[in-house]
């Protein structure tokens, strides 16, 4: 592979020529604010443009004006000067495209001399650059300085076509497909918390050790995007496309000094990062499962922090929503950006993701719906600990979480846990706000353990505790009723079997046990019904007394409510006796009775 030209001191002395006092063909040129003394006769022998100006007597001034805005840099012009003095130009991937542009601008063609610089550079470009993957990428990166002229000469299109053709032959040039987090977890392997673990695997080494394959993702976005669009149109497998996009994000957004919430990033750098993430979203296929959820969530965080367009964020939220059942709670913890943020996490983005999931899932996907229901309950518990989360947002998020369990026999324990955490972290809430936060609770679906905890939970409003106790009594009544019905059925079947066997004496003895059991269950049901009616009556009395009590009777009202609360808990077995509860009250020294709304 040709190496980049390094000028020796002796060579550089021959480039910045010191004119002889007797020589009139020397002229001073300014190339990128650097002075050059050139022998115009040698330059005119290779350049048609300089030769056309050489006929005028005042050619020196005209040449200086003509070369004032020459599209080149000092290193490229040194190569041209070297070539004019009969030295080897030492072509390489780094200088061939700028050199072709400069030779074309000076019209250094075969019309003046055979084997001129333009033909040499074009032959080198076609025979040494385009057939090689690495050389093509290097040449393309170095064309930034002369991009407009290189594009007009067709050099950029030639490089793009060469890259696409090589990818069609071997898609592995884009990198291996990104590992799936779910497949790893199924194999029992531990998953790392960092998103970097989901980067494409190390590329294969070819031919010799130390040979490194150039990465297509290292190209700037204005080169990368048209190449990837062409690759997608030619039907390259999408998993390789997704792998390259992931690497491009890491190179131009993640590894470019990005930090969420960082204010010190320069305006230009932030714009380049925004353009990169928007281009990645446009190129990312919509098929499900090409990238794992942690990578998609990382892209979404970048787009939010960089203030990308709404189309970019909506596209990423839609892709996440289609595979939300593969996400984890830590993925949903998207930081809220901006000075006017109203909470720690971006609740609005999570709600939109959840809506996308509901709009794409079907009723037959019970496993995915169950996973999302568990996921949202866990996220609700995390969000409930945020002290800046208001009641309305909590209730709306909880309602969306409960929507996932509609039609399923799921308990409300997860919702109750989130409500309990919310009330604990927001002790300043009023009674009406606490009532609003508890509105999402469905006491009918709470387990026995959750009901037992709720009956002793001082953070819950009194009305909610009464509802929990009442629902427990209804469940007990239903259980007793089922036991009675099962007993009657068993007794009937038992009698029929004994009548068929004509064992009258034995059947009369056996019937005694079901009859006794039935009477006991009926008696227990009557007692439970009386307890429930007594509880309802006392609750009604308590409500009337609270409403009619004035400011003068606050102390008496508190004592009466406390005694009624003790009596309710004692009746349902929450405390063993009134004396035990009083001891507990004395130990805590402070009781906050809840008003019944």
């Amino acid at each position: 592979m040709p190496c980049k030209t390094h000028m020796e001191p002796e060579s550089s002395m021959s480039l910045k020529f010191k004119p002889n006092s007797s020589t009139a063909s020397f002229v001073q040129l300014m190339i990128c604010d650097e002075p050059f003394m050139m022998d115009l006769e040698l330059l005119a022998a290779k350049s048609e443009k300089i030769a056309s100006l050489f006929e005028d007597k005042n050619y020196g001034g005209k040449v200086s004006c003509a070369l004032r805005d020459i599209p080149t840099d000092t290193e490229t012009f040194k190569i041209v000067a070297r070539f004019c003095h009969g030295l080897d130009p030492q072509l390489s991937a780094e200088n061939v495209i700028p050199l072709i542009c400069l030779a074309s601008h000076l019209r250094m063609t075969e019309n003046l001399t055979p084997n001129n610089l333009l033909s040499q550079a074009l032959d080198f470009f076609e025979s040494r650059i385009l057939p090689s993957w690495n050389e093509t990428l290097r040449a393309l990166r170095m064309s930034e300085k002369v991009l407009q002229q290189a594009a007009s000469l067709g050099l950029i299109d030639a490089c793009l076509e060469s890259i696409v053709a090589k990818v069609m032959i071997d898609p592995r040039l884009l990198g291996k497909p990104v590992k799936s987090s779910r497949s790893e977890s199924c194999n029992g392997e531990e998953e790392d918390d960092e998103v970097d673990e989901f980067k494409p695997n190390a590329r294969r080494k070819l031919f010799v050790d130390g040979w490194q394959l150039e990465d297509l993702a290292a190209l700037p976005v204005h080169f990368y995007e048209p190449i990837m669009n062409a690759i997608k149109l030619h039907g390259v497998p999408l998993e390789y496309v997704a792998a390259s996009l992931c690497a491009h994000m890491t190179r131009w957004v993640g590894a470019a000094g990005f930090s969420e919430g960082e204010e010190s990033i320069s305006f230009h750098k932030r714009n380049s990062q925004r353009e990169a993430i928007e281009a990645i979203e446009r190129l990312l296929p919509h098929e499900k499962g090409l990238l794992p959820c942690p990578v998609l969530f990382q892209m979404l965080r970048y787009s939010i922090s960089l203030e990308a367009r709404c189309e970019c964020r909506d596209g990423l939220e839609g892709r996440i929503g289609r595979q939300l059942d593969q996400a984890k709670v830590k993925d949903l913890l998207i930081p809220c950006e901006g000075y006017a943020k109203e909470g720690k996490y971006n609740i609005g983005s999570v709600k939109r993701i959840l809506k996308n999931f509901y709009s794409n899932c079907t009723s037959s996907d019970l496993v995915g719906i169950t996973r999302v229901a568990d996921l949202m309950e866990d996220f609700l518990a995390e969000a409930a600990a945020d002290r800046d989360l208001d009641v309305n947002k909590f209730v709306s998020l909880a309602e969306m979480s409960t929507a996932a369990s509609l039609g399923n026999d799921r308990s409300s324990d997860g919702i109750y846990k989130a409500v309990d955490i919310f009330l604990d972290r927001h002790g300043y809430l009023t009674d009406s706000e606490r009532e609003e936060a508890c509105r999402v609770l469905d006491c009918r679906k709470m387990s026995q353990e959750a009901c037992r905890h709720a009956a002793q939970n001082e953070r819950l409003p009194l009305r909610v505790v009464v509802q929990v106790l009442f629902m427990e009594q209804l469940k007990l009544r239903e259980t007793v009723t089922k036991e009675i019905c099962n007993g009657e059925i068993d007794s009937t079947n038992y009698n029929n079997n004994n009548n068929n066997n004509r064992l009258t004496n034995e059947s009369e003895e056996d019937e005694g046990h079901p009859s006794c059991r039935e009477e006991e269950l009926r008696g227990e049901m009557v007692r439970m019904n009386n307890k429930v009616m007594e509880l309802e009556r006392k609750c009604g009395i308590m409500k009337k007394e609270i409403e009619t009590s004035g400011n003068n009777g606050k102390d008496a009202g508190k004592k009466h409510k406390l005694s009624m609360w003790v009596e309710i808990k004692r009746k349902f077995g929450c405390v063993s006796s009134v004396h035990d509860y009083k001891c507990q009250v004395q130990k805590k020294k402070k009781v906050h009775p809840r008003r019944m709304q």
Side-chain angles (χ1 to χ4, degrees):
M1 182 185 68
C3 300
K4 187 176 180 180
T5 304
H6 297 281
M7 303 299 299
E8 298 296 335
E10 294 80 6
S11 300
S12 62
M13 291 295 293
S14 63
L15 295 181
K16 294 185 179 181
F17 300 99
K18 295 182 179 180
N20 191 336
S21 59
S22 62
T23 305
S25 63
F26 278 95
V27 66
Q28 181 174 338
L29 304 177
M30 296 297 295
I31 306 298
C32 297
D33 298 329
E34 184 174 347
F36 281 83
M37 295 302 299
M38 283 294 301
D39 187 345
L40 293 184
E41 292 183 355
L42 295 178
L43 185 58
K46 303 291 183 179
S47 169
E48 286 187 58
K49 185 171 185 177
I50 302 300
S52 63
L53 299 174
F54 203 75
E55 299 175 356
D56 196 334
K57 292 181 179 180
N58 298 324
Y59 62 85
K62 291 187 176 181
V63 171
S64 299
C65 294
L67 299 180
R68 181 179 301 170
D69 299 325
I70 188 171
T72 188
D73 55 84
T74 56
E75 292 299 325
T76 306
F77 193 79
K78 286 178 182 180
I79 298 175
V80 172
R82 179 193 296 273
F83 178 77
C84 291
H85 284 79
L87 300 177
D88 183 15
Q90 296 184 358
L91 300 174
S92 67
E94 286 76 9
N95 60 31
V96 63
I97 291 182
L99 198 57
I100 291 174
C101 294
L102 181 55
S104 176
H105 180 78
L106 297 176
R107 298 203 298 269
M108 303 177 72
T109 62
E110 302 290 318
N111 296 334
L112 287 180
T113 179
N115 199 22
N116 208 343
L117 181 59
L118 181 59
S119 61
Q120 286 190 33
L122 287 175
D123 290 342
F124 181 84
F125 179 75
E126 295 176 358
S127 61
R128 300 289 298 275
I129 301 301
L130 295 181
S132 171
W133 170 269
N134 280 7
E135 299 292 272
T136 303
L137 290 178
R138 289 171 185 164
L140 194 58
R141 282 200 303 269
M142 296 305 297
S143 65
E144 289 276 357
K145 297 173 289 186
V146 289
L147 183 59
Q148 185 174 1
Q149 190 176 6
S152 63
L153 294 175
L155 301 177
I156 303 300
D157 291 339
C159 290
L160 299 186
E161 292 173 3
S162 174
I163 292 172
V164 173
K166 292 176 177 61
V167 171
M168 291 176 60
I169 296 173
D170 187 3
R172 291 176 296 178
L173 291 170
L174 298 177
K176 291 185 180 180
V178 182
K179 295 179 181 179
S180 171
S181 58
R182 184 158 299 280
S183 64
E184 287 182 0
S185 61
C186 293
N187 295 332
E189 299 179 6
E190 295 183 359
E191 299 176 24
D192 192 87
D193 291 337
E194 300 294 331
V195 178
D196 290 341
E197 289 296 324
F198 298 102
K199 292 189 297 185
N201 294 335
R203 285 171 167 76
R204 56 196 179 97
K205 295 182 179 180
L206 301 178
F207 308 117
V208 294
D209 291 338
W211 188 91
Q212 186 176 3
L213 189 67
E214 290 287 333
D215 195 350
L216 179 64
L219 290 177
V221 65
H222 54 269
F223 287 145
Y224 182 78
E225 187 171 7
I227 291 176
M228 295 305 296
N229 279 325
I231 287 174
K232 289 172 61 179
L233 290 176
H234 284 81
V236 174
L238 296 180
E239 55 268 22
Y240 293 100
V241 174
S244 181
L245 292 173
C246 183
H248 189 74
M249 179 192 69
T250 304
R251 169 65 178 82
W252 291 98
V253 184
F258 180 87
S259 178
E260 292 178 3
E262 186 178 351
E263 301 293 340
S264 60
I265 300 178
S266 66
F267 180 77
H268 174 73
K269 187 175 183 180
R270 190 174 180 87
N271 280 344
S272 64
Q273 290 176 336
R274 185 187 302 112
E275 291 175 0
I277 196 65
E278 290 177 352
I280 290 171
E281 189 278 328
R282 290 192 297 268
L283 294 169
L284 186 62
H286 289 271
E287 279 72 9
K288 177 181 177 181
L290 292 176
L291 290 177
C293 276
V295 176
L296 293 175
F297 273 102
Q298 187 62 63
M299 290 182 180
L300 180 59
R301 291 187 184 96
Y302 288 155
S303 66
I304 293 174
S305 180
L306 294 170
E307 299 179 354
R309 296 179 180 178
C310 294
E311 294 82 1
C312 176
R313 284 178 286 177
D314 293 342
L316 292 172
E317 288 173 354
R319 291 174 177 86
I320 293 172
R322 282 188 284 273
Q323 57 188 74
L324 185 59
D325 55 327
Q326 302 175 13
K328 293 185 177 181
V329 181
K330 61 182 180 181
D331 299 329
L332 292 174
L333 303 180
I334 305 172
C336 194
E337 300 288 341
Y339 294 103
K341 58 183 180 181
E342 299 178 355
K344 184 178 180 181
Y345 303 116
N346 196 326
I347 304 298
S349 181
V350 175
K351 291 169 66 174
R352 291 191 295 271
I353 291 172
L354 192 59
K355 288 181 180 179
N356 279 301
F357 172 78
Y358 289 148
S359 62
N360 288 280
C361 71
T362 58
S363 58
S364 59
D365 189 14
L366 297 179
V367 176
I369 294 175
T370 303
R371 286 175 179 168
V372 172
D374 295 335
L375 176 68
M376 294 308 301
E377 288 181 356
D378 294 339
F379 173 74
L380 185 62
E382 291 286 342
D386 181 14
R387 296 183 182 274
D388 296 328
L389 184 66
D390 58 26
V391 178
N392 295 330
K393 286 190 176 181
F394 174 78
V395 172
S396 63
L397 186 61
E399 288 175 346
M400 295 191 69
S401 301
T402 55
S405 60
L406 294 178
N408 299 330
D409 295 332
R410 289 179 54 83
S411 67
S412 297
D413 292 0
I415 303 297
Y416 169 70
K417 177 184 176 182
V419 170
D420 185 40
I421 295 174
F422 183 78
L423 295 179
D424 181 46
R425 297 298 178 91
H426 299 74
Y428 53 84
L429 296 178
T430 63
D431 292 341
S432 60
E433 289 175 334
R434 290 190 294 116
E435 291 277 355
E436 180 68 14
C438 295
R439 182 169 59 85
V440 295
L441 275 178
D442 189 353
C443 300
R444 297 170 298 178
K445 294 184 178 182
M446 292 175 61
S447 65
Q448 186 177 359
E449 292 78 11
C451 289
R452 188 181 299 111
H453 185 276
Q456 301 177 0
N457 194 344
E458 297 180 356
R459 291 183 287 271
L460 293 178
L462 180 60
R463 183 184 63 83
V464 177
V465 177
V466 173
Q467 279 185 347
V468 171
L469 296 174
F470 183 72
M471 294 308 302
E472 277 295 287
Q473 295 303 316
L474 291 181
K475 290 179 182 178
L476 181 59
R477 181 185 297 179
E478 292 175 359
T479 303
V480 172
T481 303
K482 290 180 181 179
E483 290 289 340
I484 293 175
C485 295
N486 292 334
E488 291 178 351
I489 293 173
D490 293 340
S491 177
T492 303
N493 293 335
Y494 186 76
N495 290 334
N496 291 335
N497 292 332
N498 288 330
N499 288 332
N500 292 333
N501 295 327
R502 297 179 181 181
L503 299 176
T504 306
N505 294 332
E506 296 179 3
S507 65
E508 291 177 357
E509 295 177 359
D510 294 336
E511 286 175 359
H513 178 68
S515 299
C516 294
R517 184 181 181 186
E518 179 180 346
E519 291 298 329
E520 292 177 358
L521 292 175
R522 289 183 183 275
E524 182 67 21
M525 183 174 178
V526 171
R527 286 193 295 272
M528 289 297 174
N529 188 36
N530 292 335
K531 285 185 178 181
V532 172
M533 293 177 64
E534 180 68 14
L535 175 63
E536 293 174 349
R537 184 182 67 81
K538 290 185 177 182
C539 287
I541 294 173
M542 185 188 304
K543 183 177 181 180
K544 290 180 181 179
E545 291 180 355
I546 292 174
E547 292 175 352
T548 56
S549 61
N551 294 330
N552 296 330
K554 280 187 177 180
D555 295 337
K558 288 182 179 179
K559 288 183 179 179
H560 185 68
K561 286 188 285 182
L562 178 60
S563 62
M564 293 301 296
W565 182 242
V566 173
E567 183 66 14
I568 291 173
K569 285 198 170 187
R570 187 183 64 79
K571 283 182 176 293
F572 288 94
C574 297
V575 293
S576 57
S577 65
V578 177
H579 175 71
D580 294 339
Y581 186 81
K582 289 179 179 178
C583 295
Q584 185 179 2
V585 171
Q586 292 175 1
K587 184 177 181 181
K588 291 185 177 180
K589 295 184 181 180
K590 189 175 182 180
V591 176
H592 299 280
R594 304 296 191 268
R595 293 187 177 184
M596 182 174 183
Q597 300 295 329

